[in-house]
Amino acid sequence: MPIERGLQYLRQMQRVTLKNLPMPLEKTEKWKKAHPDENTMKAVMSKKGPIARNSLPPFGIDPIQAEGRLPWILTVPKEPYYEGVEEGRQYLPMSLRTLQRLIDLRRVNPEKPIDLPVLCNTKLFSIQPDQRQFGLQLTDEGADIFSTPINLEVQWVSSELAIAAIERCGGVLTTRYFDPISISALIDAKKFFERGEPIPRCDTPPINAIEYYTDPKQRGYLANPDLIREERQRLAQKYGYKLPDPSKLSQLFCLRKDPRQIFYGLEPGWLVNLKDQTILKPTDKKFETFYHS
Amino acid sequence: MNSMYNFVYRKCLCLSTRYFLINNRTYKSNLSYDKLFPNCKSLDILSGPIKSPTSESTGNAKFNGFIPIDKLEITHRHARGPGGQHVNKTLSGVEIRFHVDSATWIPDWIKSRFRDMNQTRVNRDGYFIIFSDETRHRLLNQGQCLDRIRALIREASLVPKGLSDEERKGIEERKKTSSNERVIRKRIQSLNKQERRSSSVDLS
């Protein structure tokens, strides 16, 4: 009978005391011997040497193979001065002084909008798209000399003074992004048309450039026109000039390209035939949806 | 093809102006401006409503920051300092003058304080003069002059806040208590001095 067996166990087993109860939080002596704490370790181990003095080499380094020298990975220093140079975008500088000079020598017509193909046709700037050059940037040398109203489109402007110098004379400035395929089409437009390729659709700027091109202070092409107007007024008050009356300006000054458009007056997708003086436009629906997206 | 109006490709790719001013031929992609900014008040950069002040502040209102450039007299002068021939020849220093009393763009309650605070800058004839030649560009110097004018007007417009009734009452109470305590201390000290003296009362 199970009761009798239980009673038999009771007769044989020890009396239950505090010492016999296995308390879960208290550690037995056997466990403590197997897991010595810091103080016992200190008393037991030697008090000299790299272990006691906390000067062991870092993990992953074999002290025998190192033979007292630093491993090769630690001996060669890191000099990150040109880190990210291969990914950086380059813009060729163009000063306001050269622009004014071009206008005075009648190499560029200030009455029509001035953008990248117009400036590249003067053969003063040689832009190489395979060297990660993305266009032209405007520098502020010659800000006091500049005195013609123009509708200018560059790829980068870094100083507020350059923007103010153009708007003071009654001009308009926008910064515009072109991807490398569009740049190779814009640099030498005649050669591009002779190649027989349809006009490309311009991509949106990369993520590290979106902040720049949506900024009204840099007159980005993706910025809100309301905010750009505020910034124009702010600069006019800051530097002390008057903004021109918009009704008196010619319509060419208000002209702006669509964000997907590269050439003024030509749509992406069109094929320009210079020999027969014709333009071929795609009629298939899939091409139309692509080039209008 | 004569339907395509006069498309001529020349060295600088200048299309006939009438071709791309024809409005119904403008190209609109998915990223066109009316789709990117549907809530915009005006898609034109040049003309449209502006929130920041475009006209002078009137009468007793606060100074809104607008300075009419027509009413200032701006002259370009020679700059001072080192720089050789360039500094001697170019006129990169900028001087701005305006008659203080006839300046309608400064509110009246600021004008008198402004004149008093900037007595050193105001002429005998009543003209306020400011000059800047700190940078190499004329535009930047002009900007600096205007910035200084705005800062001086703001300084003149800061009127100190007076004491409120509670503060005045507290100050008066504190004065009274401190004077009472002073009087008590004096009386105690005078008692001390009297006790040290030999008394004239006969204690026999």
Side-chain angles (χ1 to χ4, degrees):
Chain A
M1 294 247 309
I3 299 173
E4 282 200 5
R5 230 225 203 136
L7 288 171
Q8 208 177 25
Y9 280 141
L10 264 181
R11 271 177 232 125
Q12 286 168 7
M13 272 166 54
Q14 293 167 351
R15 182 171 263 192
V16 173
T17 56
L18 271 176
K19 258 195 173 178
N20 294 343
L21 283 174
M23 304 299 285
L25 297 174
E26 208 178 77
K27 287 167 187 145
T28 54
E29 297 290 338
K30 193 180 170 188
W31 188 92
K32 278 185 191 167
K33 261 199 175 176
H35 302 84
D37 63 338
E38 201 187 322
N39 292 325
T40 45
M41 288 283 279
K42 273 190 181 175
V44 163
M45 298 193 57
S46 74
K47 294 177 181 77
K48 294 188 187 182
I51 296 173
R53 292 184 181 136
N54 286 332
S55 60
L56 280 175
F59 287 122
I61 292 168
D62 187 6
I64 299 166
Q65 273 201 357
E67 295 171 30
R69 283 182 261 117
L70 273 181
W72 180 86
I73 278 177
L74 293 180
T75 49
V76 177
K78 191 178 173 187
E79 295 184 352
Y81 308 126
Y82 288 102
E83 210 172 323
V85 118
E86 302 95 26
E87 301 152 7
R89 289 186 299 274
Q90 297 179 24
Y91 300 96
L92 292 184
M94 176 184 69
S95 65
L96 289 162
R97 206 157 157 263
T98 48
L99 244 191
Q100 184 62 48
R101 190 159 180 272
L102 290 173
I103 290 168
D104 291 338
L105 294 172
R106 301 171 73 193
R107 287 169 81 164
V108 155
N109 192 353
E111 283 167 32
K112 299 201 172 148
I114 298 176
D115 61 334
L116 190 60
V118 170
L119 291 165
C120 286
N121 283 329
T122 59
K123 306 279 196 249
L124 281 179
F125 312 103
S126 61
I127 300 176
Q128 295 155 12
D130 45 322
Q131 301 284 325
R132 291 204 60 98
Q133 289 178 357
F134 280 72
L136 296 174
Q137 59 167 322
L138 199 62
T139 52
D140 55 11
E141 192 191 336
D144 296 335
I145 301 171
F146 199 78
S147 58
T148 37
I150 51 169
N151 183 357
L152 185 62
E153 197 188 68
V154 279
Q155 276 69 56
W156 195 272
V157 176
S158 51
S159 72
E160 219 180 37
L161 185 64
I163 304 175
I166 290 186
E167 299 191 338
R168 178 177 63 123
C169 311
V172 177
L173 176 73
T174 48
T175 45
R176 174 76 219 240
Y177 172 79
F178 292 119
D179 55 316
I181 299 173
S182 313
I183 289 263
S184 57
L186 285 163
I187 297 167
D188 210 337
K190 191 177 176 196
K191 244 191 195 176
F192 171 72
F193 292 138
E194 283 169 3
R195 258 189 266 159
E197 281 173 20
I199 296 172
R201 178 193 77 159
C202 188
D203 277 340
T204 47
I207 293 172
N208 60 7
I210 281 181
E211 205 190 310
Y212 182 88
Y213 289 107
T214 50
D215 197 0
K217 288 187 186 170
Q218 318 283 2
R219 310 289 188 274
Y221 72 117
L222 295 172
N224 201 340
D226 283 344
L227 300 176
I228 293 182
R229 256 179 278 128
E230 305 272 345
E231 289 294 324
R232 275 170 66 95
Q233 174 71 13
R234 184 188 80 102
L235 272 194
Q237 278 295 296
K238 180 175 173 182
Y239 287 104
Y241 56 86
K242 241 189 144 184
L243 287 176
D245 197 8
S247 54
K248 288 183 191 158
L249 291 172
S250 80
Q251 254 196 316
L252 287 172
F253 276 71
C254 315
L255 201 65
R256 268 180 116 201
K257 287 182 203 166
D258 190 83
R260 292 283 199 198
Q261 200 182 6
I262 298 175
F263 294 107
Y264 279 116
L266 297 175
E267 290 181 21
W270 287 1
L271 250 182
V272 173
N273 192 341
L274 290 176
K275 201 172 172 196
D276 305 332
Q277 301 238 321
T278 56
I279 298 180
L280 307 165
K281 305 184 192 180
T283 47
D284 202 329
K285 264 196 180 170
K286 65 179 179 190
F287 289 117
E288 275 196 39
T289 47
F290 174 71
Y291 284 118
H292 280 265
S293 67
Chain B
M1 289 193 40
N2 288 327
S3 58
M4 205 99 41
Y5 187 92
N6 217 14
F7 167 62
V8 177
Y9 174 76
R10 291 222 170 264
K11 266 191 212 173
C12 41
L13 192 75
C14 32
L15 297 175
S16 156
T17 54
R18 264 190 264 181
Y19 179 71
F20 51 63
L21 287 179
I22 293 167
N23 284 327
N24 53 1
R25 290 212 206 192
T26 45
Y27 161 69
K28 293 235 167 103
S29 65
N30 238 8
L31 293 182
S32 65
Y33 292 111
D34 49 353
K35 283 181 195 147
L36 281 179
F37 306 110
N39 297 327
C40 182
K41 282 173 196 154
S42 161
L43 287 174
D44 196 7
I45 302 179
L46 300 172
S47 57
I50 301 177
K51 273 189 213 165
S52 41
T54 48
S55 53
E56 303 170 17
S57 48
T58 52
N60 283 328
K62 244 174 103 177
F63 180 59
N64 65 2
F66 182 79
I67 299 181
I69 316 285
D70 300 342
K71 301 197 177 162
L72 305 174
E73 292 170 18
I74 302 178
T75 46
H76 304 305
R77 279 171 41 186
H78 289 283
R80 306 165 292 202
Q85 217 177 46
H86 187 263
V87 116
N88 296 342
K89 283 188 170 179
T90 54
L91 309 168
S92 56
V94 168
E95 189 190 76
I96 295 187
R97 294 178 173 232
F98 61 91
H99 194 71
V100 181
D101 287 331
S102 59
T104 51
W105 46 276
I106 311 179
D108 300 323
W109 58 283
I110 296 177
K111 227 189 261 186
S112 44
R113 284 175 59 86
F114 181 73
R115 216 185 302 121
D116 295 334
M117 286 170 85
N118 300 314
Q119 276 171 12
T120 49
R121 291 194 203 260
V122 177
N123 217 347
R124 209 187 305 166
D125 302 329
Y127 278 89
F128 175 89
I129 303 171
I130 193 164
F131 174 68
S132 165
D133 64 345
E134 285 165 27
T135 58
R136 302 185 68 191
H137 295 278
R138 206 182 293 156
L139 261 185
L140 286 175
N141 287 335
Q142 201 171 326
Q144 218 168 36
C145 285
L146 287 169
D147 198 36
R148 288 226 184 96
I149 292 174
R150 270 181 250 257
L152 291 170
I153 290 178
R154 182 167 165 77
E155 246 187 81
S157 70
L158 293 172
V159 178
K161 210 169 56 168
L163 296 170
S164 65
D165 285 337
E166 287 173 357
E167 285 170 1
R168 256 184 239 137
K169 274 185 198 167
I171 289 169
E172 277 177 30
E173 275 176 30
R174 273 176 244 144
K175 273 191 190 166
K176 273 186 200 165
T177 48
S178 65
S179 62
N180 287 340
E181 279 173 15
R182 199 183 336 117
V183 163
I184 288 165
R185 257 184 276 137
K186 275 181 121 174
R187 302 244 163 94
I188 291 169
Q189 182 68 3
S190 74
L191 268 181
N192 279 338
K193 300 283 266 196
Q194 278 178 22
E195 281 166 10
R196 286 180 200 158
R197 254 191 263 138
S198 53
S199 56
S200 54
V201 174
D202 198 2
L203 294 171
S204 55

